[in-house]
Amino acid sequence: MNHIGERKINVLVIDPDEEFAHDVKMFLEDTYCVNIKPTIDKLDYSNTLDHVNVIIIAIEFLSKDFINLIEQLRKKHENIKIISMYTYITSDKELEHKLIEYSDDIITKPFDVTLLKNKLDSFLISA
């Protein structure tokens, strides 16, 4: 199990595609403590995020509402690393710029889960 100091690394995967989220969890759970939520709207901000080190979040539709949610998440929990996953990015350059600003990393789906694990491992090195 990977640790930051003495704490184990907790990863939260937010993706409505349950099969994909489960596959990611199965691949990462030997190294990390992984939990899954279907949407960012379902988060219990008071409890859940106090115990999360990294959020891997799927973007189905990049909108101003999503950017506002991720901006608030970043402001309230600045120590949490955010990896955004998307299949299709908007042509709206302002939204794209904001996504880059509030994410620690961005991955285009589909991707090899080894790439995701390497990104998580790199966060550990920099922690």
Side-chain angles (χ1 to χ4, degrees):
M1 185 77 59
N2 276 315
H3 294 67
I4 294 178
E6 293 300 314
R7 299 176 301 142
K8 62 184 169 179
I9 301 299
N10 292 299
V11 176
L12 176 61
V13 178
I14 302 173
D15 194 327
D17 181 344
E18 291 179 31
E19 184 176 337
F20 176 81
H22 182 71
D23 289 347
V24 169
K25 179 179 180 174
M26 285 180 41
F27 184 78
L28 296 176
E29 67 186 352
D30 286 343
T31 310
Y32 301 98
C33 179
V34 181
N35 290 298
I36 299 171
K37 298 280 183 191
T39 68
I40 196 168
D41 300 329
K42 302 285 185 193
L43 285 179
D44 177 0
Y45 287 95
S46 61
N47 293 321
T48 304
L49 295 181
D50 289 338
H51 306 288
V52 171
N53 303 102
V54 179
I55 295 176
I56 302 167
I57 185 166
I59 305 166
E60 294 214 5
F61 178 72
L62 186 59
S63 66
K64 288 182 181 181
D65 290 339
F66 179 84
I67 292 297
N68 289 337
L69 283 171
I70 201 168
E71 178 183 20
Q72 291 305 311
L73 178 67
R74 172 61 71 210
K75 286 180 180 178
K76 292 179 183 176
H77 303 278
E78 55 190 42
N79 293 332
I80 295 176
K81 299 291 187 183
I82 300 172
I83 299 175
S84 298
M85 302 181 295
Y86 68 89
T87 304
Y88 172 77
I89 197 70
T90 181
S91 60
D92 185 326
K93 294 301 178 192
E94 181 181 343
L95 289 179
E96 183 179 8
H97 176 71
K98 290 289 186 185
L99 177 65
I100 293 167
E101 180 181 343
Y102 298 128
S103 299
D104 292 291
D105 211 331
I106 298 173
I107 299 176
T108 306
K109 289 168 89 176
F111 58 86
D112 182 342
V113 287
T114 304
L115 172 67
L116 179 60
K117 183 169 183 320
N118 290 341
K119 289 182 181 290
L120 288 169
D121 291 344
S122 74
F123 288 154
L124 284 177
I125 293 168
S126 66

